[in-house]
Amino acid sequence: MPTLTFVLPDGTRRTLEGKAGLSVMEVAMAEDLPGIIAECGGNAMCATCHVYAGATDRLPPVSEVEDEMLDSTAAPRTPASRLSCQVQIADNWDGMTFDVPETQL
Amino acid sequence: MTVVVIGAGHGGVQVAASLRAEGHRGPVVLLDGQDHLPYHRPQLSKEFLGPGAGDPQLLRSASFFADQDIDLRLGTAVAALHPARRRVELRDGGAVDYTHLVLALGSSLRRLQVPGVELDGIAQLGSLTDAAALRARLDAARDVVVVGGGFLGLEIAAACADVGRAVTVVEPQARLLARAVAPPVSDAVRRAHEAAGTVLHVGTGVQRFLGRAGQVRRVVLSDGSEFPADLVVIAVGVVANSGIAEAAGLAVDDGVLVDPWLRTSVPDIFAVGDCVARPDRELGAPRRIECVQNAIDQARHVASSIAHGLGEPYGKVPWFWTHQFALRVQTVGLGFPDDDCVLVGDPDGDGFSVCRFRRGRLVAVESVNRPRDHMAARRLLSGGVLPVPAEVGSAGFDLKDHELATRGTA
């Protein structure tokens, strides 16, 4: 099972089990991870599932739609910024980390 | 201090969650007549109807409500409100008393009153149960007729065409999405459906349904045309679920009337989401907004008012989206039927936006495959420097460039 570690703004780490094919957002929501809102249900429409990825080079590329949405995140955009609903989990993930921003709204 | 929330859709669940997030410590009771854990609704008319779709996505996990000490009572329909006693009477004979009450009653599908509408094979989509039934029927269907060319009907039509069904859409108004978007956007949507092979009948309504052995077989339109159907989906708009509010004496006018703080006409009763009607001076009538974002933002506002007392009036700019085929339509703001519209981009190209102006002031932007425009428009309409029609109409104008250039100068 791929594992994902979320680092909350206060430094707390939570490691969750993922499943290939699910999005990072879906795993976070299923566990009520604080700080991930995902108001639009995973359609890259609301930019409230923003995360900072630890290993951006291992993730699928940012689409044009995601790119535009990332310009509107509540917390500052960095090169590590992704919408977690657009990042599908892969089988070979182990110990991937995602920092949860201070705010999504 | 007990807060009772009626309705566990997007708005009601958000009220309960935000009350806890805002530090409310008293009891929170969330009532809903349905039996299923609260779920995301927009996908029900889209990917949920397609092959391989699993269970609907839940709004919160099964354990969330207990973890947050939210008393979620599913299968618990409300019979009546008794504002004088601050009591909600339940259909099972019980009652819940409240300090504050939030009505998140939602809306119900409008019925079509034509002969034959009771035939088997004629469906509607207003809930998870409906969507699951429709998906099951779709397997055996060949000729699907969708009555209603609004967002819901067109999403269903697109989902049916995507799985290879022969689809016909009937829309009584002169164009698709007539109530919701400007003509260039209607036109782009029309072309996408036609390109998928869907037959569109606009400007005419259903006169009757004909059946055999109780099952729908044909649809007859007012203009005399007639065609086969073994599955009909009716999506002709919704009506606010304001019945229990009206019966309790709350002011109602095509929805529960609220003031700028989303307070109903009765003290300590708020309302959020589809069931709300807000007076709109410009429109000259109350306005109802049917979208997830509106329900959620209103819910957050009401939760804050209950937890901390009244603050600013509610003022979020509504936004909305739909997916159909390769089209991504996003709208922001509130238009009026006779707005002046200025195009940005080429409707025959990759994408475009329509900027709607009311007496020279930008009030809404509708975008087709232009997320860049949409996000810029959201920021502009939420307190940015609004471009005037002549700017928008000038060669090379770009909403995002304008927003970046004027940011911080409003």
Side-chain angles (χ1 to χ4, degrees):
Chain A
M1 280 284 198
T3 59
L4 295 69
T5 298
F6 292 90
V7 184
L8 304 182
D10 66 2
T12 311
R13 298 171 75 87
R14 279 195 49 193
T15 298
L16 305 178
E17 249 180 31
K19 199 172 130 192
L22 288 182
S23 70
V24 172
M25 177 278 282
E26 287 173 295
V27 171
M29 292 305 286
E31 297 288 333
D32 296 311
L33 190 86
I36 304 287
I37 296 179
E39 196 159 293
C40 77
N43 288 278
M45 294 284 179
C46 68
T48 61
C49 65
H50 180 203
V51 290
Y52 301 110
T56 46
D57 54 324
R58 291 176 64 194
L59 304 183
V62 176
S63 70
E64 188 197 334
V65 167
E66 184 183 349
D67 187 39
E68 290 301 335
M69 300 305 297
L70 283 169
D71 270 352
S72 297
T73 51
R77 178 179 186 174
T78 75
S81 288
R82 294 301 303 256
L83 294 185
S84 58
C85 72
Q86 298 300 298
V87 179
Q88 305 296 315
I89 295 167
D91 260 327
N92 61 359
W93 281 16
D94 202 17
M96 287 285 268
T97 64
F98 296 92
D99 286 12
V100 177
E102 288 278 351
T103 177
Q104 299 281 6
L105 298 173
Chain B
M1 200 172 84
T2 302
V3 182
V4 174
V5 182
I6 305 178
H10 290 267
V13 168
Q14 188 66 50
V15 170
S18 289
L19 279 167
R20 289 296 181 231
E22 298 283 345
H24 173 80
R25 287 161 183 274
V28 175
V29 183
L30 180 54
L31 305 171
D32 199 282
Q34 292 195 53
D35 290 317
H36 201 284
L37 279 169
Y39 49 86
H40 280 270
R41 301 175 70 92
Q43 59 194 234
L44 295 184
S45 49
K46 305 181 186 79
E47 57 266 37
F48 185 80
L49 297 177
D55 293 334
Q57 202 179 332
L58 298 179
L59 287 176
R60 299 289 189 281
S61 77
S63 56
F64 173 84
F65 299 95
D67 290 349
Q68 294 288 312
D69 196 18
I70 293 165
D71 182 4
L72 172 64
R73 300 192 199 171
L74 298 173
T76 305
V78 169
L81 310 179
H82 301 288
R85 282 185 282 160
R86 292 175 176 263
R87 174 166 293 181
V88 176
E89 184 188 327
L90 306 177
R91 209 171 282 167
D92 65 13
V96 193
D97 292 344
Y98 63 81
T99 319
H100 291 96
L101 178 64
V102 183
L103 305 177
L105 306 169
S107 54
S108 297
L109 298 165
R110 198 181 288 279
R111 304 262 166 201
L112 192 65
Q113 307 285 354
V114 297
V117 75
E118 73 292 340
L119 286 163
D120 197 28
I122 300 182
Q124 294 205 299
L125 200 173
S127 66
L128 174 59
T129 310
D130 290 350
L134 180 59
R135 184 166 69 177
R137 278 194 175 274
L138 195 53
D139 281 340
R142 198 176 52 193
D143 297 305
V144 179
V145 175
V146 177
V147 183
F151 286 117
L152 180 65
L154 292 172
E155 287 176 359
I156 295 167
C160 293
D162 277 339
V163 292
R165 301 298 176 270
V167 181
T168 303
V169 175
V170 180
E171 167 54 52
Q173 303 243 30
R175 59 183 176 91
L176 301 177
L177 300 170
R179 199 170 57 94
V181 297
V185 180
S186 284
D187 207 47
V189 171
R190 175 183 62 77
R191 283 180 290 163
H193 282 263
E194 285 176 348
T198 294
V199 177
L200 304 171
H201 291 267
V202 296
T204 182
V206 172
Q207 199 251 331
R208 64 171 58 235
F209 297 106
L210 301 174
R212 198 183 316 135
Q215 158 72 37
V216 69
R217 288 285 182 243
R218 298 185 76 75
V219 179
V220 182
L221 302 188
S222 312
D223 67 7
S225 53
E226 191 179 323
F227 40 86
D230 45 24
L231 175 60
V232 173
V233 187
I234 295 173
V236 291
V238 297
V239 289
N241 291 336
S242 50
I244 58 165
E246 190 169 12
L250 277 69
V252 164
D253 182 0
D254 184 33
V256 180
L257 284 170
V258 297
D259 72 2
W261 287 268
L262 305 168
R263 295 181 294 185
T264 69
S265 61
V266 172
D268 300 321
I269 304 182
F270 294 83
V272 301
D274 281 18
C275 73
V276 165
R278 291 184 81 192
D280 186 321
R281 211 174 301 157
E282 184 78 35
L283 194 65
R287 197 198 276 264
R288 241 170 5 86
I289 299 173
E290 300 151 12
C291 70
V292 169
Q293 166 275 330
N294 178 63
I296 289 180
D297 281 333
Q298 290 190 335
R300 290 198 181 105
H301 196 270
V302 163
S304 170
S305 298
I306 292 172
H308 309 301
L310 291 190
E312 296 283 308
Y314 176 75
K316 292 278 188 203
V317 180
W319 54 265
F320 177 84
W321 57 274
T322 179
H323 269 164
Q324 292 165 38
F325 307 113
L327 290 188
R328 186 179 172 95
V329 179
Q330 296 170 285
T331 72
V332 55
L334 289 173
F336 301 83
D338 53 349
D339 290 336
D340 297 316
C341 293
V342 182
L343 264 175
V344 181
D346 177 10
D348 294 319
D350 290 341
F352 67 96
S353 291
V354 176
C355 293
R356 302 179 70 130
F357 291 91
R358 187 78 178 159
R359 285 192 292 277
R361 182 184 170 83
L362 184 70
V363 291
V365 177
E366 298 160 358
S367 305
V368 177
N369 292 345
R370 288 268 282 225
R372 172 186 175 89
D373 287 1
H374 174 71
M375 294 312 291
R378 270 204 230 168
R379 292 188 290 266
L380 286 170
L381 289 168
S382 305
V385 177
L386 300 178
V388 299
E391 278 177 282
V392 174
S394 64
F397 176 81
D398 181 85
L399 278 161
K400 186 171 177 180
D401 291 345
H402 169 88
E403 194 271 330
L404 287 171
T406 58
R407 194 179 286 181
T409 63

